[in-house]
Amino acid sequence: MFHEYKKTIEKGDVVMLYMTRESIVPIVVDEEKNFNNKFGEYKHKKMIGMDYGTKMLSENKKGFLYLLHPTPELWTLSVPHRTQILYMPDISIISLKLDLKPGKIVIESGTGSGSFTHSIARSIAPSGHLHTFEYHEERAKIIKAELENHNLASIVTSNHRDVCKNGFSLEDVADAVFLDLPAPWEAVPAAVKSLRKDKVGRICTFSPCIEQVQRTALALNENGFFDIETIECLVRTHDSSHLEMPDIQSAIDGQKAKFKSNKGRKRLISSKIKNADEDAETQDISITKLLASKPVMTARGHTSYLTFASLLVNKP
Ligand code: SAM
């Protein structure tokens, strides 16, 4: 379901009820149930037979929502938080640098709320496998049920275990290991054991403090990893605006008045663009409109440091 697409909603399917970006509720379609919010009631049984993507009206016709197909991205936005979770900026860079793709065998610990678990599963499906480990019993139980509900149980094996004490019980099979643990350095020897030795294995650890990064880097170095690098993934938004650019001849001809340099103004409103067009028409000035953007400096949103490394291959 999360790793393949279907057109029409059936009984038992997961549907993401999208009200706004901040308000997305996942449901499993059950003819006996209704979804209620302050705008009205939505009957599950009426969703059956509708296409994913449909805009559905409430029974009183006062409210509406969209019936969206489940994806790991929507799951990350709507998953009930049992722990802190990974978000898409980090998920994308980790997936890229661990080279997650169909067929890969991956180990993850801890599973936490399963946010990253769903993305890994989609990346490696249908032929790969994810072994995920969580030592909190209740969390391990919940994720097991969610994976069943989401048709991911054949791609993901969920284990209840303390990996720092007991390792992964997997030898020479994994292409990549991802550790989101308070003490990832304690699981590094287990990661070495589980990674394949016939090709370069990759590891990533996710830690909020630089002291954790230092201990992890030492453990990676001592356990035969090379190419150790730590990065911080920060989201930066860009402001865009339209600027007027005269051609060179117009500028040389002293038509500077027509080239408003936006002194004292950051943005040119659309009426100005229109006026500039008219001026250009009557006075034969060629003005090009340029869409420009610049990064906005906002508060830094540190989540964690990502430390990547590769394991040396055993030469025959
Ligand atoms: N990456 C997850 C996600 O995207 O939802 C969140 C992981 S959460 C921050 C860390 C998890 O690691 C917690 O659920 C915790 O119980 C688990 N954990 C901590 N130490 C562990 C250990 N030694 N073995 C297994 N799991 C452990």
Tab-separated table of all heavy atoms in Angstrom, residues 2 14-18 20-27 70-88 91 108 110-119 134 138-139 142-147 149-150 152 180:
chain	number	residue	atom	x	y	z
A	2	PHE	N	1.839	1.316	0.966
A	2	PHE	CA	2.711	2.492	1.016
A	2	PHE	C	3.776	2.438	-0.074
A	2	PHE	O	4.441	3.424	-0.324
A	2	PHE	CB	3.385	2.595	2.394
A	2	PHE	CG	2.491	3.217	3.428
A	2	PHE	CD1	1.422	2.527	3.961
A	2	PHE	CD2	2.724	4.504	3.871
A	2	PHE	CE1	0.590	3.098	4.916
A	2	PHE	CE2	1.911	5.098	4.825
A	2	PHE	CZ	0.842	4.395	5.344
A	14	VAL	N	-6.101	1.802	3.722
A	14	VAL	CA	-5.722	2.992	4.491
A	14	VAL	C	-5.997	4.214	3.613
A	14	VAL	O	-5.636	4.232	2.432
A	14	VAL	CB	-4.219	2.960	4.866
A	14	VAL	CG1	-3.816	4.246	5.588
A	14	VAL	CG2	-3.912	1.752	5.730
A	15	VAL	N	-6.669	5.211	4.193
A	15	VAL	CA	-6.912	6.476	3.483
A	15	VAL	C	-6.406	7.595	4.380
A	15	VAL	O	-6.632	7.593	5.589
A	15	VAL	CB	-8.423	6.684	3.195
A	15	VAL	CG1	-8.660	8.019	2.494
A	15	VAL	CG2	-8.981	5.548	2.350
A	16	MET	N	-5.700	8.541	3.776
A	16	MET	CA	-5.236	9.696	4.540
A	16	MET	C	-6.265	10.809	4.339
A	16	MET	O	-6.420	11.316	3.216
A	16	MET	CB	-3.859	10.175	4.041
A	16	MET	CG	-2.827	9.079	3.845
A	16	MET	SD	-2.455	8.116	5.313
A	16	MET	CE	-1.359	9.170	6.185
A	17	LEU	N	-6.986	11.148	5.403
A	17	LEU	CA	-7.992	12.209	5.326
A	17	LEU	C	-7.273	13.549	5.490
A	17	LEU	O	-6.775	13.881	6.566
A	17	LEU	CB	-9.041	12.041	6.420
A	17	LEU	CG	-9.765	10.689	6.435
A	17	LEU	CD1	-10.790	10.649	7.556
A	17	LEU	CD2	-10.433	10.406	5.089
A	18	TYR	N	-7.196	14.285	4.382
A	18	TYR	CA	-6.413	15.515	4.359
A	18	TYR	C	-7.327	16.719	4.505
A	18	TYR	O	-8.096	17.026	3.610
A	18	TYR	CB	-5.638	15.573	3.037
A	18	TYR	CG	-4.719	16.754	2.885
A	18	TYR	CD1	-3.341	16.608	3.069
A	18	TYR	CD2	-5.204	18.004	2.546
A	18	TYR	CE1	-2.484	17.695	2.920
A	18	TYR	CE2	-4.362	19.095	2.400
A	18	TYR	CZ	-3.005	18.928	2.584
A	18	TYR	OH	-2.164	19.999	2.435
A	20	THR	N	-5.956	19.875	6.197
A	20	THR	CA	-4.914	20.865	5.875
A	20	THR	C	-3.585	20.139	6.061
A	20	THR	O	-3.557	19.012	6.543
A	20	THR	CB	-4.924	22.062	6.858
A	20	THR	OG1	-4.580	21.569	8.168
A	20	THR	CG2	-6.273	22.749	6.905
A	21	ARG	N	-2.476	20.827	5.731
A	21	ARG	CA	-1.157	20.196	5.889
A	21	ARG	C	-0.913	19.824	7.353
A	21	ARG	O	-0.231	18.868	7.658
A	21	ARG	CB	-0.082	21.177	5.411
A	21	ARG	CG	1.233	20.523	5.129
A	21	ARG	CD	2.256	21.541	4.676
A	21	ARG	NE	3.571	21.150	5.172
A	21	ARG	CZ	4.337	20.233	4.605
A	21	ARG	NH1	3.937	19.616	3.525
A	21	ARG	NH2	5.512	19.933	5.121
A	22	GLU	N	-1.496	20.635	8.259
A	22	GLU	CA	-1.306	20.369	9.698
A	22	GLU	C	-2.328	19.384	10.218
A	22	GLU	O	-2.256	18.974	11.369
A	22	GLU	CB	-1.415	21.670	10.508
A	22	GLU	CG	-0.232	22.604	10.396
A	22	GLU	CD	-0.149	23.264	9.040
A	22	GLU	OE1	-1.210	23.660	8.516
A	22	GLU	OE2	0.963	23.330	8.476
A	23	SER	N	-3.318	19.051	9.422
A	23	SER	CA	-4.383	18.188	9.914
A	23	SER	C	-4.672	17.069	8.898
A	23	SER	O	-5.458	17.241	7.969
A	23	SER	CB	-5.626	19.052	10.166
A	23	SER	OG	-6.692	18.246	10.565
A	24	ILE	N	-3.955	15.959	9.105
A	24	ILE	CA	-4.112	14.786	8.245
A	24	ILE	C	-4.386	13.605	9.169
A	24	ILE	O	-3.624	13.361	10.104
A	24	ILE	CB	-2.825	14.506	7.435
A	24	ILE	CG1	-2.426	15.745	6.628
A	24	ILE	CG2	-3.003	13.290	6.520
A	24	ILE	CD1	-1.049	15.656	6.006
A	25	VAL	N	-5.483	12.895	8.923
A	25	VAL	CA	-5.823	11.777	9.806
A	25	VAL	C	-5.860	10.480	8.998
A	25	VAL	O	-6.634	10.361	8.048
A	25	VAL	CB	-7.212	12.014	10.463
A	25	VAL	CG1	-7.609	10.824	11.331
A	25	VAL	CG2	-7.207	13.291	11.283
A	26	PRO	N	-4.993	9.503	9.370
A	26	PRO	CA	-5.043	8.221	8.659
A	26	PRO	C	-6.183	7.353	9.203
A	26	PRO	O	-6.375	7.293	10.416
A	26	PRO	CB	-3.689	7.577	8.988
A	26	PRO	CG	-3.136	8.318	10.146
A	26	PRO	CD	-3.950	9.546	10.404
A	27	ILE	N	-6.941	6.707	8.316
A	27	ILE	CA	-7.991	5.777	8.771
A	27	ILE	C	-7.863	4.471	7.992
A	27	ILE	O	-7.281	4.432	6.910
A	27	ILE	CB	-9.422	6.337	8.558
A	27	ILE	CG1	-9.660	6.653	7.066
A	27	ILE	CG2	-9.694	7.552	9.412
A	27	ILE	CD1	-11.131	6.669	6.691
A	70	PRO	N	-2.137	6.619	0.793
A	70	PRO	CA	-1.056	6.677	1.778
A	70	PRO	C	0.326	6.710	1.109
A	70	PRO	O	0.548	6.004	0.127
A	70	PRO	CB	-1.232	5.388	2.582
A	70	PRO	CG	-2.081	4.500	1.761
A	70	PRO	CD	-2.908	5.374	0.864
A	71	THR	N	1.200	7.548	1.655
A	71	THR	CA	2.612	7.589	1.229
A	71	THR	C	3.451	7.746	2.495
A	71	THR	O	2.937	8.236	3.513
A	71	THR	CB	2.915	8.814	0.335
A	71	THR	OG1	2.673	9.996	1.110
A	71	THR	CG2	2.075	8.841	-0.930
A	72	PRO	N	4.731	7.390	2.457
A	72	PRO	CA	5.575	7.627	3.637
A	72	PRO	C	5.619	9.104	4.025
A	72	PRO	O	5.686	9.430	5.209
A	72	PRO	CB	6.953	7.125	3.178
A	72	PRO	CG	6.651	6.100	2.142
A	72	PRO	CD	5.431	6.608	1.417
A	73	GLU	N	5.553	10.000	3.017
A	73	GLU	CA	5.606	11.436	3.334
A	73	GLU	C	4.388	11.843	4.180
A	73	GLU	O	4.522	12.548	5.184
A	73	GLU	CB	5.613	12.284	2.048
A	73	GLU	CG	6.915	12.263	1.270
A	73	GLU	CD	7.085	11.008	0.422
A	73	GLU	OE1	6.150	10.166	0.368
A	73	GLU	OE2	8.163	10.855	-0.179
A	74	LEU	N	3.191	11.386	3.765
A	74	LEU	CA	1.977	11.735	4.522
A	74	LEU	C	1.982	11.045	5.879
A	74	LEU	O	1.487	11.588	6.868
A	74	LEU	CB	0.720	11.347	3.725
A	74	LEU	CG	0.439	12.179	2.473
A	74	LEU	CD1	-0.771	11.629	1.729
A	74	LEU	CD2	0.200	13.642	2.828
A	75	TRP	N	2.553	9.829	5.930
A	75	TRP	CA	2.613	9.118	7.214
A	75	TRP	C	3.493	9.891	8.206
A	75	TRP	O	3.157	10.054	9.381
A	75	TRP	CB	3.130	7.681	7.005
A	75	TRP	CG	3.068	6.895	8.285
A	75	TRP	CD1	4.110	6.476	9.040
A	75	TRP	CD2	1.876	6.457	8.968
A	75	TRP	NE1	3.657	5.810	10.158
A	75	TRP	CE2	2.282	5.793	10.135
A	75	TRP	CE3	0.512	6.586	8.713
A	75	TRP	CZ2	1.388	5.241	11.042
A	75	TRP	CZ3	-0.384	6.037	9.615
A	75	TRP	CH2	0.052	5.380	10.755
A	76	THR	N	4.628	10.405	7.720
A	76	THR	CA	5.519	11.187	8.581
A	76	THR	C	4.804	12.428	9.123
A	76	THR	O	5.030	12.841	10.262
A	76	THR	CB	6.811	11.560	7.798
A	76	THR	OG1	7.567	10.353	7.641
A	76	THR	CG2	7.653	12.596	8.494
A	77	LEU	N	3.913	13.014	8.314
A	77	LEU	CA	3.183	14.204	8.787
A	77	LEU	C	2.051	13.855	9.745
A	77	LEU	O	1.565	14.714	10.471
A	77	LEU	CB	2.592	14.963	7.583
A	77	LEU	CG	3.593	15.680	6.677
A	77	LEU	CD1	2.865	16.318	5.497
A	77	LEU	CD2	4.355	16.756	7.448
A	78	SER	N	1.612	12.590	9.744
A	78	SER	CA	0.405	12.281	10.526
A	78	SER	C	0.611	11.183	11.582
A	78	SER	O	-0.294	10.912	12.358
A	78	SER	CB	-0.722	11.830	9.577
A	78	SER	OG	-0.327	10.667	8.893
A	79	VAL	N	1.796	10.568	11.604
A	79	VAL	CA	2.015	9.439	12.523
A	79	VAL	C	1.818	9.876	13.984
A	79	VAL	O	2.294	10.942	14.386
A	79	VAL	CB	3.434	8.832	12.304
A	79	VAL	CG1	4.539	9.845	12.540
A	79	VAL	CG2	3.653	7.620	13.189
A	80	PRO	N	1.109	9.072	14.763
A	80	PRO	CA	1.006	9.388	16.194
A	80	PRO	C	2.399	9.288	16.830
A	80	PRO	O	3.037	8.234	16.747
A	80	PRO	CB	0.063	8.299	16.729
A	80	PRO	CG	-0.586	7.689	15.515
A	80	PRO	CD	0.368	7.865	14.380
A	81	HIS	N	2.868	10.387	17.420
A	81	HIS	CA	4.250	10.409	17.955
A	81	HIS	C	4.350	9.635	19.260
A	81	HIS	O	3.737	10.003	20.241
A	81	HIS	CB	4.697	11.849	18.205
A	81	HIS	CG	5.006	12.584	16.947
A	81	HIS	ND1	5.927	13.597	16.883
A	81	HIS	CD2	4.528	12.437	15.708
A	81	HIS	CE1	5.987	14.054	15.644
A	81	HIS	NE2	5.136	13.361	14.914
A	82	ARG	N	5.127	8.564	19.247
A	82	ARG	CA	5.485	7.879	20.494
A	82	ARG	C	6.870	8.348	20.932
A	82	ARG	O	7.291	8.167	22.059
A	82	ARG	CB	5.536	6.359	20.279
A	82	ARG	CG	4.206	5.642	20.274
A	82	ARG	CD	3.550	5.566	18.928
A	82	ARG	NE	4.207	4.692	17.987
A	82	ARG	CZ	3.752	4.424	16.773
A	82	ARG	NH1	2.633	4.994	16.341
A	82	ARG	NH2	4.402	3.634	15.969
A	83	THR	N	7.626	8.926	19.969
A	83	THR	CA	8.994	9.393	20.222
A	83	THR	C	9.216	10.613	19.340
A	83	THR	O	8.340	10.986	18.572
A	83	THR	CB	10.010	8.324	19.736
A	83	THR	OG1	9.780	8.116	18.330
A	83	THR	CG2	9.862	7.023	20.477
A	84	GLN	N	10.423	11.184	19.402
A	84	GLN	CA	10.813	12.150	18.378
A	84	GLN	C	10.927	11.360	17.078
A	84	GLN	O	11.263	10.165	17.120
A	84	GLN	CB	12.174	12.737	18.710
A	84	GLN	CG	12.111	13.689	19.881
A	84	GLN	CD	13.372	14.524	19.987
A	84	GLN	OE1	14.459	14.054	19.659
A	84	GLN	NE2	13.228	15.729	20.481
A	85	ILE	N	10.677	12.008	15.962
A	85	ILE	CA	10.722	11.257	14.703
A	85	ILE	C	11.635	11.943	13.693
A	85	ILE	O	12.001	13.103	13.871
A	85	ILE	CB	9.320	11.083	14.074
A	85	ILE	CG1	8.740	12.443	13.638
A	85	ILE	CG2	8.365	10.373	15.016
A	85	ILE	CD1	7.565	12.318	12.694
A	86	LEU	N	11.981	11.201	12.651
A	86	LEU	CA	12.741	11.779	11.546
A	86	LEU	C	11.770	12.418	10.557
A	86	LEU	O	10.698	11.866	10.298
A	86	LEU	CB	13.516	10.668	10.813
A	86	LEU	CG	15.014	10.615	11.091
A	86	LEU	CD1	15.278	10.269	12.531
A	86	LEU	CD2	15.693	9.625	10.179
A	87	TYR	N	12.161	13.578	10.006
A	87	TYR	CA	11.349	14.272	9.004
A	87	TYR	C	12.025	14.184	7.638
A	87	TYR	O	13.182	13.787	7.528
A	87	TYR	CB	11.123	15.728	9.419
A	87	TYR	CG	10.224	15.828	10.619
A	87	TYR	CD1	10.754	15.888	11.906
A	87	TYR	CD2	8.835	15.791	10.485
A	87	TYR	CE1	9.932	15.944	13.019
A	87	TYR	CE2	8.001	15.846	11.592
A	87	TYR	CZ	8.557	15.922	12.850
A	87	TYR	OH	7.734	15.956	13.950
A	88	MET	N	11.269	14.594	6.614
A	88	MET	CA	11.700	14.371	5.240
A	88	MET	C	13.073	14.961	4.859
A	88	MET	O	13.803	14.318	4.113
A	88	MET	CB	10.621	14.849	4.254
A	88	MET	CG	9.535	13.816	4.078
A	88	MET	SD	10.241	12.229	3.522
A	88	MET	CE	9.080	11.101	4.260
A	91	ILE	N	15.392	12.407	6.189
A	91	ILE	CA	15.097	11.120	5.550
A	91	ILE	C	15.658	11.086	4.125
A	91	ILE	O	16.272	10.100	3.706
A	91	ILE	CB	13.568	10.852	5.548
A	91	ILE	CG1	13.100	10.541	6.973
A	91	ILE	CG2	13.195	9.731	4.584
A	91	ILE	CD1	11.605	10.334	7.129
A	108	GLU	N	17.680	-1.106	10.925
A	108	GLU	CA	17.353	0.178	11.560
A	108	GLU	C	17.144	-0.037	13.061
A	108	GLU	O	16.525	-1.005	13.466
A	108	GLU	CB	16.040	0.720	10.961
A	108	GLU	CG	15.564	1.994	11.622
A	108	GLU	CD	14.079	2.321	11.361
A	108	GLU	OE1	13.248	1.390	11.226
A	108	GLU	OE2	13.765	3.499	11.322
A	110	GLY	N	16.726	2.779	16.858
A	110	GLY	CA	15.465	2.210	17.186
A	110	GLY	C	14.372	2.568	16.187
A	110	GLY	O	14.429	3.587	15.514
A	111	THR	N	13.365	1.749	16.224
A	111	THR	CA	12.234	1.956	15.314
A	111	THR	C	11.455	3.215	15.709
A	111	THR	O	10.945	3.922	14.835
A	111	THR	CB	11.271	0.746	15.394
A	111	THR	OG1	12.033	-0.448	15.447
A	111	THR	CG2	10.325	0.725	14.225
A	112	GLY	N	11.349	3.473	17.016
A	112	GLY	CA	10.643	4.652	17.508
A	112	GLY	C	9.189	4.651	17.064
A	112	GLY	O	8.450	3.690	17.308
A	113	SER	N	8.766	5.720	16.360
A	113	SER	CA	7.379	5.823	15.898
A	113	SER	C	7.207	5.265	14.487
A	113	SER	O	6.104	5.319	13.932
A	113	SER	CB	6.932	7.279	15.924
A	113	SER	OG	7.122	7.815	17.211
A	114	GLY	N	8.299	4.820	13.881
A	114	GLY	CA	8.196	4.183	12.558
A	114	GLY	C	8.129	5.164	11.402
A	114	GLY	O	7.777	4.779	10.291
A	115	SER	N	8.483	6.425	11.658
A	115	SER	CA	8.441	7.415	10.573
A	115	SER	C	9.420	7.023	9.464
A	115	SER	O	9.028	6.868	8.298
A	115	SER	CB	8.773	8.801	11.131
A	115	SER	OG	9.106	9.685	10.103
A	116	PHE	N	10.701	6.832	9.817
A	116	PHE	CA	11.699	6.469	8.802
A	116	PHE	C	11.448	5.059	8.263
A	116	PHE	O	11.692	4.774	7.100
A	116	PHE	CB	13.110	6.610	9.393
A	116	PHE	CG	14.224	6.517	8.373
A	116	PHE	CD1	14.019	6.897	7.048
A	116	PHE	CD2	15.484	6.067	8.740
A	116	PHE	CE1	15.055	6.823	6.105
A	116	PHE	CE2	16.518	5.990	7.812
A	116	PHE	CZ	16.313	6.367	6.497
A	117	THR	N	10.932	4.176	9.130
A	117	THR	CA	10.680	2.777	8.732
A	117	THR	C	9.864	2.728	7.432
A	117	THR	O	10.175	1.956	6.520
A	117	THR	CB	9.886	2.059	9.856
A	117	THR	OG1	10.547	2.306	11.088
A	117	THR	CG2	9.776	0.577	9.610
A	118	HIS	N	8.806	3.562	7.352
A	118	HIS	CA	7.939	3.542	6.163
A	118	HIS	C	8.690	4.003	4.908
A	118	HIS	O	8.492	3.442	3.827
A	118	HIS	CB	6.701	4.414	6.396
A	118	HIS	CG	5.676	3.751	7.264
A	118	HIS	ND1	5.860	3.522	8.605
A	118	HIS	CD2	4.459	3.228	6.965
A	118	HIS	CE1	4.812	2.904	9.102
A	118	HIS	NE2	3.938	2.707	8.127
A	119	SER	N	9.552	5.002	5.054
A	119	SER	CA	10.305	5.469	3.885
A	119	SER	C	11.321	4.429	3.430
A	119	SER	O	11.482	4.199	2.226
A	119	SER	CB	11.042	6.768	4.215
A	119	SER	OG	10.144	7.839	4.214
A	134	GLU	N	13.590	-2.353	18.183
A	134	GLU	CA	13.130	-1.378	19.177
A	134	GLU	C	13.096	-2.071	20.541
A	134	GLU	O	12.543	-3.167	20.659
A	134	GLU	CB	11.732	-0.883	18.769
A	134	GLU	CG	11.008	-0.064	19.809
A	134	GLU	CD	11.763	1.200	20.216
A	134	GLU	OE1	12.088	2.007	19.346
A	134	GLU	OE2	12.026	1.351	21.426
A	138	GLU	N	6.122	-1.666	24.293
A	138	GLU	CA	4.862	-1.124	23.775
A	138	GLU	C	5.041	-0.578	22.359
A	138	GLU	O	4.225	-0.836	21.457
A	138	GLU	CB	4.371	-0.030	24.745
A	138	GLU	CG	2.981	0.498	24.483
A	138	GLU	CD	1.885	-0.581	24.543
A	138	GLU	OE1	2.117	-1.624	25.172
A	138	GLU	OE2	0.825	-0.348	23.932
A	139	ARG	N	6.164	0.175	22.157
A	139	ARG	CA	6.425	0.737	20.821
A	139	ARG	C	6.638	-0.374	19.806
A	139	ARG	O	6.171	-0.292	18.662
A	139	ARG	CB	7.671	1.627	20.854
A	139	ARG	CG	7.379	2.971	21.425
A	139	ARG	CD	8.647	3.816	21.506
A	139	ARG	NE	8.534	4.667	22.672
A	139	ARG	CZ	9.542	5.074	23.421
A	139	ARG	NH1	10.784	4.718	23.119
A	139	ARG	NH2	9.339	5.825	24.470
A	142	ILE	N	3.218	-1.754	18.859
A	142	ILE	CA	2.417	-0.854	18.008
A	142	ILE	C	2.922	-0.882	16.565
A	142	ILE	O	2.140	-0.982	15.618
A	142	ILE	CB	2.429	0.592	18.557
A	142	ILE	CG1	1.762	0.639	19.931
A	142	ILE	CG2	1.719	1.554	17.613
A	142	ILE	CD1	1.858	1.978	20.650
A	143	ILE	N	4.236	-0.831	16.403
A	143	ILE	CA	4.767	-0.771	15.028
A	143	ILE	C	4.473	-2.078	14.293
A	143	ILE	O	4.179	-2.075	13.095
A	143	ILE	CB	6.281	-0.404	14.986
A	143	ILE	CG1	6.743	-0.127	13.545
A	143	ILE	CG2	7.157	-1.467	15.566
A	143	ILE	CD1	6.261	1.150	12.971
A	144	LYS	N	4.502	-3.187	15.022
A	144	LYS	CA	4.197	-4.482	14.396
A	144	LYS	C	2.780	-4.447	13.810
A	144	LYS	O	2.556	-4.830	12.654
A	144	LYS	CB	4.298	-5.601	15.450
A	144	LYS	CG	4.884	-6.844	14.871
A	144	LYS	CD	5.096	-7.936	15.897
A	144	LYS	CE	5.886	-9.034	15.244
A	144	LYS	NZ	7.269	-9.068	15.497
A	145	ALA	N	1.823	-3.937	14.613
A	145	ALA	CA	0.427	-3.864	14.153
A	145	ALA	C	0.300	-2.895	12.979
A	145	ALA	O	-0.409	-3.185	12.000
A	145	ALA	CB	-0.461	-3.420	15.312
A	146	GLU	N	1.001	-1.763	13.049
A	146	GLU	CA	0.915	-0.792	11.947
A	146	GLU	C	1.463	-1.384	10.651
A	146	GLU	O	0.883	-1.190	9.577
A	146	GLU	CB	1.709	0.478	12.312
A	146	GLU	CG	0.920	1.422	13.195
A	146	GLU	CD	1.753	2.606	13.690
A	146	GLU	OE1	2.980	2.651	13.435
A	146	GLU	OE2	1.188	3.467	14.365
A	147	LEU	N	2.569	-2.107	10.757
A	147	LEU	CA	3.157	-2.693	9.544
A	147	LEU	C	2.210	-3.709	8.908
A	147	LEU	O	2.117	-3.798	7.685
A	147	LEU	CB	4.516	-3.338	9.868
A	147	LEU	CG	5.617	-2.342	10.270
A	147	LEU	CD1	6.833	-3.070	10.834
A	147	LEU	CD2	6.021	-1.470	9.085
A	149	ASN	N	-1.165	-3.610	9.192
A	149	ASN	CA	-2.243	-2.792	8.608
A	149	ASN	C	-1.831	-2.146	7.300
A	149	ASN	O	-2.658	-1.895	6.430
A	149	ASN	CB	-2.645	-1.659	9.562
A	149	ASN	CG	-3.603	-2.147	10.613
A	149	ASN	OD1	-4.242	-3.173	10.432
A	149	ASN	ND2	-3.685	-1.410	11.711
A	150	HIS	N	-0.539	-1.845	7.180
A	150	HIS	CA	-0.053	-1.111	6.004
A	150	HIS	C	0.517	-2.037	4.945
A	150	HIS	O	1.187	-1.566	4.022
A	150	HIS	CB	1.002	-0.079	6.439
A	150	HIS	CG	0.458	0.961	7.365
A	150	HIS	ND1	1.242	1.860	8.047
A	150	HIS	CD2	-0.832	1.248	7.722
A	150	HIS	CE1	0.484	2.652	8.786
A	150	HIS	NE2	-0.784	2.287	8.612
A	152	LEU	N	2.992	-3.987	5.005
A	152	LEU	CA	4.447	-3.901	4.896
A	152	LEU	C	5.151	-5.046	5.622
A	152	LEU	O	6.378	-5.101	5.642
A	152	LEU	CB	4.942	-2.554	5.463
A	152	LEU	CG	4.586	-1.315	4.641
A	152	LEU	CD1	4.981	-0.042	5.374
A	152	LEU	CD2	5.255	-1.355	3.270
A	180	ASP	N	19.447	5.346	15.188
A	180	ASP	CA	18.900	6.542	15.851
A	180	ASP	C	18.707	6.141	17.312
A	180	ASP	O	17.613	5.797	17.743
A	180	ASP	CB	17.573	6.934	15.182
A	180	ASP	CG	16.945	8.192	15.800
A	180	ASP	OD1	17.545	8.753	16.732
A	180	ASP	OD2	15.866	8.590	15.336
